Amino acid sequence: AGLNPEVNKWSMVFDFNDESKTGKNFKIMSLSEYSENSWFPVGSECERAVPLLEGEVAAAQAYKLVPENTTGGGTGGAGMSFSFNTSQEDAEKAVAQSEAATPPTPPPTAAPTAAEVVPPPPVASCTTIAVGTKVEARFGKGTTWYLAIVAKVHDDGEKFDLDYLDGSKETKVSKEFVQLPVKRTVGWNPNAAKAKAEARKKSGEAAPSALGSDPTAGLKLRAIIEEEDRQTAVKEAVASSPALELIYFDAKGVIEPSRMMLSLVGVKYTDTRLPLGDNFELPGFADKKAEGIFTMNLDKVPILKIGEDQSIGQSKAIDRYIANKFGFLGRNEMEAAQIDMWCEHCVDIKKSYADAKKGKEKGSEDLEVAKKEWLTNKLP
């Protein structure tokens, strides 16, 4: 308001409900009225009110406090303040004197030539942004600007880690999507807004929503971005995967989940299947065993060979390696644990089914009865 902080603000108040300034509503005590028992709201160090001023003196003092650059050219009384004991007549007189003292607006001058044009001051760029700076950023490289705090600066101000006010986070956001907050003018007509709200209520139309009005929208958008990042990581893992070879019998068995995962993501691998004879003879297995390639897995299969000199045994270890590398082990620790849980459920179910058939001759009535009993009463 252009008020001088050294002048008590109450002396600048004009009470339009008491134009004759009788002091019926409130007044400022003169110095002679102060006593040792005077009450000061914030203690004895509180600034004392200035003495009462005569009307013209108060108006002149207030006029000195009006900013020189007021909107619209002259002051026009728009930015003037007056003492509470200034009458309406004195105030109008001061305004008239102010307007009379305002110099006339000079005639417009010719437009400057290109050489005379002074470029505007540069807008603060991202190079001036440091950790802790409040900025605006286009979350997810979108078109809408959201407020955020800079958590980290990368590459001398080329990229930023951002903590958004709704709890979302982004890392290494390019400076083209970040700027210092821009001052904006927002127009809002309460009557028009109320009329639209009443119209929506009558028609049953839902109120419009935006990112800022939905507390979960930021989390939803972050989940979408994270899923896109996960898919990108999977594609990169597939493209950079070393040579893989799965060695198992020519059957589905315990290694089929690994074969399915590799096929789903499009990983090229060697599917080495050892032949099974009519009576489950294992001639191919014996040859491979003699080469010593099964030694690290206690002379068992399956084996996953990775590159030239690495191998993994045990079917569940192979499953988890492939799942983790190619995006089948969930998006976080909880999802990974839940996937592990269901895999162990499958192991228990398979064992329970095998126990139910144990000791029953193939094709026998006892076997069929046991299978039916398990499927009816024991299958989870």
Side-chain angles (χ1 to χ4, degrees):
L3 298 179
N4 187 339
E6 296 180 356
V7 178
N8 186 285
K9 308 305 183 296
W10 285 102
S11 67
M12 300 292 112
V13 174
F14 180 82
D15 186 1
F16 285 94
N17 295 314
D18 184 18
E19 294 185 6
S20 59
K21 302 305 163 193
T22 63
K24 64 180 182 181
N25 296 323
F26 64 87
K27 70 173 184 176
I28 298 177
M29 296 168 59
S30 64
L31 289 176
S32 60
E33 294 178 281
Y34 283 117
S35 69
E36 294 181 359
N37 297 323
S38 297
W39 175 70
F40 298 95
V42 294
S44 59
E45 300 301 322
C46 174
E47 176 191 5
R48 293 194 174 193
V50 298
L52 293 176
L53 302 176
E54 296 297 331
E56 292 187 5
V57 177
Q61 180 173 328
Y63 176 63
K64 291 179 181 179
L65 302 177
V66 178
E68 295 181 0
N69 298 323
T70 54
T71 304
T75 60
M80 298 184 67
S81 302
F82 300 98
S83 169
F84 86 97
N85 61 323
T86 304
S87 67
Q88 180 73 28
E89 181 181 354
D90 290 335
E92 292 176 353
K93 182 178 179 181
V95 170
Q97 292 174 348
S98 170
E99 292 177 343
T102 302
T105 303
T109 57
T113 63
E116 297 173 334
V117 175
V118 178
V123 178
S125 65
C126 288
T127 57
T128 63
I129 296 177
V131 173
T133 303
K134 181 182 284 187
V135 296
E136 294 179 345
R138 288 161 51 187
F139 186 85
K141 300 180 182 179
T143 58
T144 305
W145 296 94
Y146 298 96
L147 288 175
I149 302 296
V150 175
K152 190 174 182 180
V153 179
H154 299 275
D155 304 332
D156 295 328
E158 293 295 316
K159 295 180 180 180
F160 305 92
D161 289 356
L162 302 176
D163 294 342
Y164 290 87
L165 300 192
D166 70 344
S168 302
K169 297 179 183 292
E170 278 190 306
T171 58
K172 294 187 177 180
V173 179
S174 176
K175 68 178 182 180
E176 64 184 291
F177 301 108
V178 180
Q179 67 181 20
L180 294 174
V182 177
K183 191 173 183 179
R184 296 180 175 89
T185 301
V186 180
W188 181 65
N189 186 328
N191 294 328
K194 183 178 180 181
K196 289 181 179 179
E198 291 176 349
R200 284 195 299 269
K201 186 176 180 180
K202 291 180 180 179
S203 64
E205 178 187 355
S209 63
L211 180 64
S213 63
D214 183 356
T216 64
L219 298 177
K220 293 175 183 176
L221 183 56
R222 181 169 60 185
I224 293 173
I225 300 300
E226 288 178 349
E227 177 61 19
E228 291 176 350
D229 291 343
R230 188 189 70 83
Q231 293 178 6
T232 300
V234 169
K235 292 178 181 178
E236 292 175 352
V238 170
S240 62
S241 175
L244 300 178
E245 181 183 3
L246 268 178
I247 304 174
Y248 191 60
F249 300 118
D250 189 12
K252 292 182 178 180
V254 296
I255 205 60
E256 194 64 12
S258 289
R259 289 174 178 155
M260 294 173 66
M261 286 187 286
L262 292 173
S263 297
L264 283 170
V265 294
V267 177
K268 295 180 180 180
Y269 72 101
T270 301
D271 187 11
T272 300
R273 300 189 179 217
L274 305 177
L276 290 170
D278 293 337
N279 295 315
F280 289 95
E281 299 93 350
L282 308 172
F285 177 80
D287 295 341
K288 292 287 185 181
K289 180 179 178 181
E291 296 175 10
I293 65 173
F294 299 148
T295 303
M296 51 77 63
N297 196 38
L298 304 179
D299 287 334
K300 298 178 181 179
V301 288
I303 293 286
L304 173 64
K305 295 182 69 176
I306 306 168
E308 296 295 329
D309 54 2
Q310 290 183 308
S311 297
I312 297 175
Q314 294 291 346
S315 60
K316 297 308 171 191
I318 294 172
D319 286 348
R320 288 185 175 92
Y321 171 82
I322 293 174
N324 185 55
K325 185 173 182 63
F326 299 112
F328 291 99
L329 206 56
R331 292 168 294 185
N332 50 55
E333 292 179 352
M334 178 55 69
E335 289 189 4
Q338 290 172 334
I339 291 169
D340 257 345
M341 175 187 71
W342 284 106
C343 289
E344 294 304 316
H345 285 341
C346 291
V347 172
D348 289 347
I349 292 171
K350 182 179 178 180
K351 183 178 183 303
S352 175
Y353 185 56
D355 290 344
K357 297 187 298 178
K358 190 174 183 179
K360 311 296 190 298
E361 187 177 345
K362 187 176 181 179
S364 67
E365 184 177 348
D366 287 346
L367 179 61
E368 295 304 315
V369 171
K371 288 166 64 176
K372 184 176 181 180
E373 168 67 16
W374 186 85
L375 291 169
T376 303
N377 299 320
K378 296 185 178 180
L379 176 65

